[in-house]
Amino acid sequence: MKKVRLDKFLADLGVGSRKDAKKLIKQKRVQVNSEVVSSPSIHINPETDVVYLDDQPLEYKEYYYYMFNKPQGYITATSDETMPTVMDFFQDKPKVRELFPVGRLDIDTEGLLIITNDGQLAHRLSHPKWQIEKEYYTVVKGDLSGKDFSKYEKEGLKLKDYKTKPFKLQVLSTSPDKSEIKITLTEGKYHIVKRIMETLGHPVVYLKRTRIGNLTLDENLSTGDHRELTPEEVKNLKKLVNLEKFDNNSFSG
Ligand code: URA
């Protein structure tokens, strides 16, 4: 791993801005291995040097992975001039400027979003080649009793300008005015669930993503909350897209 400037290293770990990091160094609160340092411009090796702040060792990781339960009202982007974005929830995180959401949920969609700075994993999880399953819970208008959606598992569905890949639609409950559905797709096209349900004559009134591949939204995570993925969860996602041999976070210190 490349050496990094100490003030950048500290800022990357979320202790504050680079200016804040310089201040901490000046106050003699930062130690590298056995020495208190006085220069913010020294270079350290994150793999072999141990950096302490106020006598506590700082853990350096190159890659970060979060599970986020997206609320409505936030756009899935890293920044926007006018709208709040999902990244508003991650501003105090290490390497915040490198973090980004994997794939996209509409502004009015809730649920599972992965936030990471691992470009390779993100790219593969979103690439059509890997056909990663995405599962949604949705409430739609209308009565679905007696309807059979099994043919879409083989054929997909012809939309106005696009033929979908096969998908699975399971009715969880139904009533004269609305129904609950679980829908599982292997593609991430724009507004895909809404367009499918609109075409079937049952417009979406609520949409929440509950699963991406082998990663299920944690039921303990309230809307708007996030947590780091466990090493096991990261490993399982990597396995899904043939990246398990590149375990980027195998060290700490
Ligand atoms: N399909 C949609 O229509 N919207 C989403 O946010 C995700 C899938």
Side-chain angles (χ1 to χ4, degrees):
M1 167 168 280
K2 262 194 354 218
K3 289 194 160 198
V4 278
R5 254 181 80 118
L6 182 59
D7 54 355
K8 179 173 186 316
F9 174 86
L10 290 166
D12 279 351
L13 281 176
V15 304
S17 64
R18 264 178 79 171
K19 206 166 146 196
D20 297 330
K22 282 185 182 135
K23 222 182 270 173
L24 294 170
I25 294 165
K26 214 167 163 194
Q27 293 165 345
K28 306 255 182 276
R29 292 167 62 188
V30 180
Q31 189 176 325
V32 178
N33 303 320
S34 57
E35 287 190 32
V36 175
V37 288
S38 52
S39 166
S41 63
I42 67 161
H43 284 67
I44 60 130
N45 182 336
E47 258 174 275
T48 53
D49 292 320
V50 183
V51 178
Y52 300 83
L53 173 63
D54 296 334
D55 299 324
Q56 294 300 314
L58 296 172
E59 189 194 6
Y60 184 83
K61 288 191 285 191
E62 187 156 22
Y63 294 105
Y64 290 84
Y65 306 89
Y66 300 95
M67 171 188 290
F68 180 45
N69 187 353
K70 179 193 173 295
Q72 295 184 356
Y74 291 80
I75 61 167
T76 311
T78 47
S79 66
D80 192 80
E81 306 239 309
T82 53
M83 301 296 292
T85 79
V86 292
M87 297 315 299
D88 293 354
F89 294 84
F90 293 83
Q91 287 310 306
D92 63 343
K93 291 289 181 277
K95 303 203 173 191
V96 59
R97 284 166 300 280
E98 294 176 13
L99 294 173
F100 60 90
V102 180
R104 182 135 39 123
L105 292 177
D106 297 336
I107 187 164
D108 55 354
T109 301
E110 295 182 0
L112 179 59
L113 196 59
I114 297 169
I115 307 285
T116 185
N117 61 337
D118 184 341
Q120 195 176 32
L121 179 65
H123 179 72
R124 291 208 185 178
L125 288 175
S126 310
H127 199 285
K129 166 181 164 179
W130 299 94
Q131 306 223 341
I132 301 300
E133 278 192 356
K134 281 143 201 132
E135 185 182 278
Y136 297 84
Y137 164 83
T138 171
V139 180
V140 299
K141 281 191 188 165
D143 191 343
L144 297 178
S145 40
K147 293 213 174 173
D148 181 8
F149 299 106
S150 55
K151 67 174 179 183
Y152 305 121
E153 284 179 42
K154 286 210 184 81
E155 301 168 8
L157 173 69
K158 221 171 158 306
L159 306 178
K160 228 183 276 168
D161 53 353
Y162 174 70
K163 169 100 173 354
T164 75
K165 300 225 158 34
F167 62 88
K168 198 165 155 188
L169 203 160
Q170 188 186 345
V171 180
L172 303 174
S173 80
T174 189
S175 74
D177 60 330
K178 64 179 187 199
S179 303
E180 291 175 297
I181 289 174
K182 186 161 93 179
I183 180 164
T184 310
L185 312 151
T186 57
E187 59 187 323
K189 285 256 177 324
Y190 185 63
H191 286 344
I192 188 77
V193 175
K194 290 176 184 162
R195 286 158 67 204
I196 287 172
M197 295 316 301
E198 185 81 41
T199 305
L200 294 175
H202 297 277
V204 165
V205 293
Y206 174 80
L207 185 57
K208 175 178 185 169
R209 183 156 65 193
T210 50
R211 182 169 64 82
I212 299 172
N214 49 28
L215 183 71
T216 300
L217 180 64
D218 191 331
E219 282 177 10
N220 298 316
L221 217 53
S222 306
T223 313
D225 284 352
H226 62 268
R227 66 159 173 81
E228 275 200 65
L229 294 189
T230 64
E232 193 66 19
E233 286 168 336
V234 174
K235 198 168 144 198
N236 289 340
L237 281 175
K238 286 184 175 177
K239 220 183 253 179
L240 211 55
V241 291
N242 222 7
L243 281 176
E244 60 190 316
K245 41 194 180 302
F246 305 106
D247 195 353
N248 295 311
N249 275 339
S250 56
F251 71 91
S252 63

